[in-house]
Amino acid sequence: MDLFATALPALGQAWALILQPIVLGYLVLGVVMGLAVGVFPGLGGIAGLSLLLPFMFGMDPVLGLALMIGMVAVVPTSDTFASVLMGIPGSSASQATVLDGFPMAKKGQAARALSAAFTSSLFGGLVGAAFLTLFIVVARPIVLSFGLPEMLMISILGLSMVAVLAGRVALKGLAAAGLGLLIGTIGEADAGGSLRMATYDIPYLTDGLKLVIVGLGIFAVPEIVSLLRQDRAISKEAKLGAGWGEGVRDWVANKWLSVRCSLIGVVVGVIPGLGGSVVDWIAYGHAVQTTKDKSNFGKGEVRGVIGPESSNNAKEGGGLVPTLLFGIPGSGSMAIFIGAIALLGSGEIEVGPSMLRDNLDITYSIVWLLALANVVGTLLCIAASGGIAKLTTIRFTYLAPFLFMLISFAAFQSGQNFEDILALFLIGLIGIFLRRFDWSRPAFLIGFVLSNPVEKFSNQAFQIASFRFRKSFEEGMDYIFSPIVIVLLIITVVSVVLGLRQAKSIMAEGDVQSGSKRAPLVFLLIIMGYVVAALINASLIPDYNMTDKIVPLVVGGIALAALLILLVQMILRPERDPIFADKEVSGEDADAPYGLWSTLAWFVGLIVATYFVGFILALLGFLISFLRVRAQAHWPKTLILTACGIALMCVMAGALNRDFPPGLLQGAVDLPWPLN
Amino acid sequence: MTIKYFAATAASAACLAAPALAEVDFAGKTIEWVIPFSETGGSAKWANFFAPLLSEELPGNPTVVVKFMPGAGSTKGANWFQEQEHDEGTVLFGTSGSTQFPYLLDDPRVRYEYSDWKPVMASGTGGVAYLNPSDGEKFDGTANNLKDVNFIYGSQGATRLDLVPLLAWEMLGMNVEPVFGIKGRGDGRLMFERGEATIDYQTSSSYLGASADLVEKGQAVPMMTWGALDEGGNIVRDPTFPDILTFKEVCEATEGCATEGEAWDAWKAFFIAGFPVQKIAFLPAGTPDDVIETYTAAFDAVRNREDFAQIAEKRVGKYPVFVGEGAAKATQRGTTVSAEAKAFVTNWLQEAYGVSLK
């Protein structure tokens, strides 16, 4: 009880600290900066926080915190713009939002989707803060009860969402998830350092692929290419149907879903080591399972937006627990946040176990600054959403070149290699074909995201469990089957069973017609080829590094089995079977005036030109020729738009102190910025 | 009195005059301090701490920005730096033990050569190993009673800094099973707090920040520090933890552990690269002497700030910062190991953990 006796006055002090005009001013400044950075896909909080770092040294702690929290808090809010309007997952927090948010935008309901998303974000943020205020004083032992088996179970629960999202043919979803898992294992293994599908001669591969690139490649590239081929606006009617008021009403109608998903967000966010990667999928799965009429999911169901968006802001609040109480960052931006806190003032705030004892008022200030930043950010976003939603009524051919520009830049920022852009293109190709043949893209992405946690936690949990079993059988059993594990196991089993039953009605790619056998079969064989190669590659790892080979072998084996069954089914079944779904047979893609390869060639052109003359020069040529030739714009319009695009890139890169991809030309000659 | 007074005056005059003599001026320039790790690591913290201080002390007060170039366990950034040429002295590069270890172990990705570069500042840290309470009771300043205990340790990988604690425990005859694949020492500590790991170590600042709390509450028992280096290159008590035994002392007192011979030499070589000379700031090959001197003077001024000890303690730890000649010497120590030591460690990594860097 004495904990609460100290907690209440501290809460009062925290509010006294926060409610100073200058603190609120800094908070708003941070929020505005966060929004400016966050609307660009792939940049997010890390870029923004790094920008603030130089100013943090010796700054008044409360002001510095207000500035930084303002910035971090709004990123999961503002990246919703890209997810809903363009189908681009702005960060790992908004991947699931794409599934229903983007189809809504296509139906002309962008403003509705955005305001429903923002209202959910706001509410999630507040629920998170309220929960934390009570929880944070008792959090330590609860967080410590989540050991490796528990974390493994949560990762598996996340993976079980594949069942819901597998699509019409469950085996295809399973194989897509397996492929995602395998691609996630590319590179140096965490445990023993063996290389999987990589070589030291290509250092790029040893680090594995980045989530930003895979997210953009799987969701953004296929959608951009498809829309560009159809040469129309994102919104089919080229006008906005529903207004933002409707989105708020949607939220009111679904407030209990929002409450539940917010709590899912806080709880999963609290567990260190998992971060945000699974939260939005679990929330999405929950939203699907609790909806009576599931037929609209994947086609623009507002509950599919409210669920993940409620959870992802709440997760930020939950993520503060491991960050502040244990000094263990839950995400990249939290890691910088910890580093920056040390720079504040005279360094008196020390993140870690002493935080609650010595700085409870500061802890509460952080929690409520986060909530307040959510409120400010959301209001700004809702105010802006009506106007920004108009983007969906513009002829897409005018948007596409800038989106290619943005995603290439974002991909490059993830690792500053030319290979980043190349990887984006290759993953984009995979995405295009997964979409075409109706293999679940969400399942692929869930597999990729959870590849590392599943591998790491299963290896480590196995090792510690066998250590305990050597001591005694009971100790081992106690370790593996803790009450939390059993509860999670039950939830997982229930969700898989329910999910499989429901999956058939959830068609993330819409109703895809089937046609000839050849193309789907060829794609299946190509995937099978990769899986076999990965299996052979993994089996060559020496046995003493069992930790590095076991997961690729098991996952690859399951994926291969699924693929073989599919192959047999494909041989036996008639052409009209859903297994042969192919978007090029009929529908939007088949009727599009432009072909796939000629459209893709533009993107390839940008990449090839970047390789030779560097990004900015390549972009100059790309924008001018695209707007002139493909969009058939007049010279004045072409030049103005090109200048705007280049200026935007330069301002962004200049302000965030980022480089552009250099080409061969830059290797030979010294050029001034931004051409270097 | 006169001679002493005269000498002192002359010395201080020389010191005052030194910055004025340098003709290098960075007014209006931007200095990029490149760190081959992500924004989130310890090296980022280190560079972000020094950058504004350096900016204040360099002539012309240039803007010092920290840039991150992560990849391939920092070898990507180091390979990049190897190709940089002197250009007005506006590129600074920071390495850490994780850059030095692949270099020392002949990692195939290494295409850089430390001796080409010009060190201007080096700083270090220490480390403390600690035990769970029940095994801590058996610790009596020797590891004699710990030899039949099985320990579990959350490790980032045997070829990383964890090489130092793992080899130390092995030399003491302890049976420590590493669980590989954790992402940072913070995760290791969490594993220890959850009771999944039963032994752990932290670098000094993390130990002070979190583990010391566990010790206070009786949930952990400090075992030993790795020690610190004195002027002559001998291992002495860590100044931050003068009451905790060093590994050297524990080893001497433990049966079967020797502070000489190839195992000891190898341990010491990698300890130096990983701890007392952990982080080094370099200028590229071919940098002219006047630029090097300007940086040396600036870092010297930083470490001589009146409040340096105070502001550094919380952020990077209370350890000596070497500049100029000292930094060069430290770099030399931290980036060379004898062929025997290298062979011993390579062989041990292969035998104990099946790790080979080929």
Side-chain angles (χ1 to χ4, degrees):
Chain A
M1 266 300 105
D2 58 325
L3 257 180
F4 287 100
T6 52
L8 276 179
L11 191 58
Q13 284 159 18
W15 277 107
L17 279 177
I18 295 174
L19 292 177
Q20 305 173 58
I22 182 162
V23 175
L24 295 175
Y26 269 80
L27 185 74
V28 173
L29 183 66
V31 167
V32 171
M33 288 164 73
L35 288 178
V37 177
V39 290
F40 293 106
L43 281 175
I46 292 188
L49 274 183
S50 316
L51 180 70
L52 292 181
L53 270 184
F55 304 103
M56 289 299 137
F57 195 93
M59 196 170 179
D60 182 68
V62 180
L63 296 185
L65 286 173
L67 196 58
M68 288 193 293
I69 290 172
M71 180 150 227
V72 184
V74 292
V75 168
T77 309
S78 60
D79 64 7
T80 307
F81 281 116
S83 315
V84 170
L85 298 179
M86 311 286 165
I88 298 173
S91 71
S92 61
S94 58
Q95 295 160 37
T97 311
V98 174
L99 294 188
D100 279 294
F102 189 48
M104 284 181 78
K106 282 188 187 168
K107 287 200 282 189
Q109 298 177 344
R112 177 186 169 196
L114 283 175
S115 60
F118 292 141
T119 315
S120 311
S121 289
L122 169 64
F123 184 72
L126 290 177
V127 168
F131 181 76
L132 278 185
T133 304
L134 299 175
F135 181 67
I136 205 160
V137 286
V138 294
R140 237 184 120 75
I142 299 177
V143 171
L144 284 178
S145 64
F146 275 83
L148 293 166
E150 288 81 7
M151 291 201 243
L152 177 62
M153 268 323 295
I154 292 187
S155 309
I156 290 176
L157 175 63
L159 210 52
S160 77
M161 293 305 152
V162 166
V164 179
L165 295 161
R168 278 188 297 178
V169 183
L171 277 175
K172 276 163 97 174
L174 183 65
L179 185 67
L181 278 160
L182 278 182
I183 288 186
T185 64
I186 290 178
E188 221 175 15
D190 272 348
S194 323
L195 293 178
R196 278 98 52 106
M197 295 302 277
T199 143
Y200 282 126
D201 296 329
I202 311 173
Y204 182 75
L205 284 179
T206 59
D207 280 345
L209 294 166
K210 303 276 189 310
L211 174 60
V212 176
I213 292 181
V214 176
L216 288 175
I218 289 295
F219 281 114
V221 173
E223 297 300 340
I224 296 174
V225 168
S226 161
L227 282 169
L228 187 54
R229 287 174 60 192
Q230 296 167 44
D231 196 7
R232 60 167 177 94
I234 294 173
S235 165
K236 264 184 197 144
E237 285 84 32
K239 62 177 194 311
L240 291 174
W244 65 268
E246 202 172 331
V248 178
R249 280 194 295 279
D250 284 327
W251 177 82
V252 174
N254 293 298
K255 53 186 177 301
W256 293 113
L257 173 71
S258 187
V259 173
R260 292 192 304 269
C261 288
S262 304
L263 291 176
I264 293 176
V266 196
V267 171
V268 180
V270 159
I271 302 163
L274 276 172
S277 45
V278 284
V279 170
D280 53 338
W281 295 115
I282 295 181
Y284 187 82
H286 176 73
V288 173
Q289 283 159 359
T290 54
T291 304
K292 280 209 186 75
D293 175 17
K294 300 174 186 15
S295 59
N296 272 327
F297 279 100
K299 297 176 200 150
E301 167 67 53
V302 77
R303 283 170 71 88
V305 174
I306 290 172
E309 285 296 318
S310 303
S311 73
N312 66 12
N313 276 49
K315 172 210 81 195
E316 294 294 308
L320 284 178
V321 171
T323 307
L324 296 179
L325 266 58
F326 294 87
I328 290 161
S331 66
S333 46
M334 279 297 149
I336 304 179
F337 184 64
I338 292 183
I341 285 180
L343 296 177
L344 288 171
S346 46
E348 66 266 28
I349 307 178
E350 198 156 346
V351 168
S354 57
M355 195 76 192
L356 283 187
R357 195 183 53 218
D358 304 341
N359 287 311
L360 189 59
D361 52 341
I362 295 281
T363 309
Y364 274 136
S365 305
I366 292 175
V367 170
W368 282 100
L369 278 170
L370 191 73
L372 220 57
N374 263 313
V375 175
V376 176
T378 310
L379 294 179
L380 287 176
C381 282
I382 291 187
S385 62
I388 295 184
K390 290 206 178 74
L391 276 178
T392 55
T393 61
I394 298 172
R395 188 181 153 211
F396 193 73
T397 315
Y398 283 114
L399 284 179
F402 299 104
L403 293 182
F404 279 133
M405 168 181 98
L406 281 177
I407 60 173
S408 307
F409 182 71
F412 179 73
Q413 293 317 322
S414 73
Q416 315 234 337
N417 300 293
F418 177 74
E419 290 95 324
D420 288 321
I421 306 183
L422 216 55
L424 173 68
F425 176 75
L426 292 175
I427 299 288
L429 266 187
I430 299 178
I432 286 171
F433 288 109
L434 289 176
R435 177 177 180 277
R436 175 176 165 181
F437 299 115
D438 196 20
W439 293 63
S440 170
R441 289 184 287 161
F444 177 91
L445 196 64
I446 293 177
F448 177 82
V449 167
L450 291 177
S451 179
N452 183 280
V454 165
E455 174 164 28
K456 183 170 71 180
F457 294 141
S458 48
N459 276 332
Q460 295 178 349
F462 177 80
Q463 206 175 337
I464 292 180
S466 42
F467 186 82
R468 299 272 172 109
F469 274 114
R470 261 178 275 151
K471 277 191 185 162
S472 81
F473 182 75
E474 275 118 81
E475 213 172 305
M477 290 307 275
D478 281 352
Y479 178 67
I480 305 180
F481 292 108
S482 73
I484 301 177
V485 169
I486 293 171
V487 169
L488 288 169
L489 199 65
I490 294 169
I491 298 177
T492 307
V493 171
V494 169
S495 109
V496 169
V497 172
L498 287 180
L500 281 178
R501 219 182 279 165
Q502 295 153 358
K504 288 192 175 55
S505 56
I506 303 156
M507 288 176 275
E509 305 291 4
D511 197 2
V512 185
Q513 296 299 313
S514 302
S516 76
K517 278 191 172 191
R518 201 170 127 240
L521 198 59
V522 170
F523 184 62
L524 178 90
L525 290 175
I526 291 173
I527 293 183
M528 206 183 256
Y530 179 82
V531 172
V532 170
L535 272 172
I536 293 174
N537 180 277
S539 66
L540 294 177
I541 295 171
D543 278 343
Y544 54 71
N545 270 339
M546 191 47 91
T547 49
D548 297 353
K549 63 190 288 191
I550 186 80
V551 167
L553 282 181
V554 170
V555 169
I558 294 172
L560 188 62
L563 289 167
L564 283 171
I565 300 174
L566 279 169
L567 183 67
V568 174
Q569 288 180 342
M570 280 195 174
I571 294 169
L572 296 178
R573 293 192 185 172
E575 284 185 344
R576 287 282 144 205
D577 195 274
I579 205 170
F580 294 109
D582 185 349
K583 286 206 168 189
E584 300 291 331
V585 173
S586 71
E588 287 172 352
D589 285 26
D591 304 336
Y594 295 96
L596 169 65
W597 297 109
S598 64
T599 304
L600 215 48
W602 285 102
F603 190 28
V604 175
L606 176 63
I607 295 172
V608 171
T610 302
Y611 180 71
F612 285 107
V613 298
F615 189 61
I616 286 291
L617 285 175
L619 192 62
L620 184 72
F622 169 76
L623 288 177
I624 291 181
S625 51
F626 188 97
L627 291 167
R628 277 296 295 165
V629 177
R630 182 70 181 256
Q632 305 261 318
H634 304 300
W635 270 112
K637 200 173 187 177
T638 302
L639 292 179
I640 290 172
L641 284 176
T642 305
C644 289
I646 304 246
L648 175 67
M649 279 288 92
C650 291
V651 168
M652 245 169 81
L656 297 175
N657 186 33
R658 301 273 151 164
D659 289 328
F660 294 116
L664 292 179
L665 177 70
Q666 280 73 14
V669 204
D670 268 342
L671 291 169
W673 193 87
L675 300 180
N676 54 355
Chain B
M1 166 233 163
T2 47
I3 294 175
K4 208 173 170 187
Y5 178 73
F6 181 75
T9 318
S12 58
C15 285
L16 283 174
L21 279 176
E23 285 162 41
V24 184
D25 184 17
F26 291 111
K29 300 252 173 66
T30 298
I31 287 164
E32 293 192 342
W33 190 344
V34 180
I35 299 295
F37 300 93
S38 77
E39 289 93 334
T40 56
S43 291
K45 211 168 157 185
W46 173 75
N48 279 321
F49 168 71
F50 276 106
L53 302 175
L54 180 64
S55 163
E56 275 177 34
E57 303 295 347
L58 279 173
N61 304 110
T63 318
V64 181
V65 295
V66 181
K67 281 196 119 173
F68 303 95
M69 194 184 280
S74 87
T75 57
K76 177 195 158 194
N79 288 340
W80 167 86
F81 183 67
Q82 183 69 25
E83 287 167 24
Q84 299 306 302
E85 285 158 18
H86 168 66
D87 177 29
E88 297 178 326
T90 53
V91 173
L92 194 61
F93 186 68
T95 71
S96 96
S98 311
T99 327
Q100 293 163 37
F101 276 31
Y103 172 82
L104 295 176
L105 291 170
D106 292 332
D107 187 306
R109 287 170 292 184
V110 170
R111 295 184 175 82
Y112 50 90
E113 177 49 58
Y114 265 100
S115 55
D116 289 351
W117 305 343
K118 308 292 180 196
V120 287
M121 186 268 280
S123 70
T125 178
V128 190
Y130 51 94
L131 301 160
N132 65 76
S134 63
D135 293 320
E137 279 174 22
K138 300 183 194 156
F139 178 69
D140 55 359
T142 78
N144 290 340
N145 300 329
L146 298 171
K147 290 182 178 177
D148 47 6
V149 182
N150 289 316
F151 289 99
I152 262 207
Y153 168 63
S155 167
Q156 284 158 281
T159 59
R160 313 287 160 89
L161 280 185
D162 283 353
L163 192 155
V164 173
L166 286 171
L167 185 54
W169 290 323
E170 159 128 354
M171 287 165 68
L172 290 172
M174 291 163 66
N175 188 8
V176 177
E177 187 177 331
V179 173
F180 289 124
I182 64 164
K183 276 285 179 294
R185 290 264 28 100
D187 288 335
R189 192 189 69 233
L190 202 58
M191 217 185 244
F192 179 87
E193 284 190 57
R194 290 196 302 254
E196 290 176 320
T198 51
I199 192 167
D200 189 36
Y201 106 88
Q202 297 288 328
T203 56
S204 303
S205 53
S206 318
Y207 181 84
L208 289 173
S211 310
D213 227 58
L214 298 178
V215 172
E216 223 169 88
K217 282 190 267 176
Q219 293 165 359
V221 178
M223 181 185 180
M224 59 193 177
T225 69
W226 310 133
L229 278 191
D230 70 3
E231 291 288 322
N234 303 304
I235 292 179
V236 294
R237 285 270 174 111
D238 188 320
T240 315
F241 309 100
D243 301 331
I244 305 179
L245 298 172
T246 63
F247 166 55
K248 190 177 178 193
E249 292 169 85
V250 176
C251 180
E252 275 164 353
T254 300
E255 286 162 32
C257 185
T259 53
E260 55 189 18
E262 59 175 0
W264 173 259
D265 291 342
W267 181 83
K268 191 175 168 188
F270 281 88
F271 154 68
I272 294 173
F275 292 90
V277 196
Q278 192 192 34
K279 301 204 192 299
I280 314 173
F282 287 100
L283 289 164
T287 303
D289 287 344
D290 56 342
V291 176
I292 298 177
E293 277 160 23
T294 309
Y295 271 95
T296 302
F299 274 118
D300 193 37
V302 169
R303 69 171 179 175
N304 288 329
R305 276 170 69 118
E306 269 178 27
D307 58 348
F308 183 77
Q310 187 209 337
I311 56 176
E313 188 178 353
K314 285 279 172 66
R315 290 154 180 152
V316 287
K318 195 168 73 182
Y319 288 90
V321 173
F322 307 101
V323 301
E325 196 57 25
K329 248 196 207 155
T331 305
Q332 167 82 23
R333 276 201 207 123
T335 57
T336 40
V337 291
S338 66
E340 295 82 39
K342 187 187 291 184
F344 176 85
V345 167
T346 317
N347 186 37
W348 169 68
L349 284 173
Q350 174 72 44
E351 278 183 4
Y353 306 113
V355 175
S356 74
L357 285 164
K358 286 280 155 16

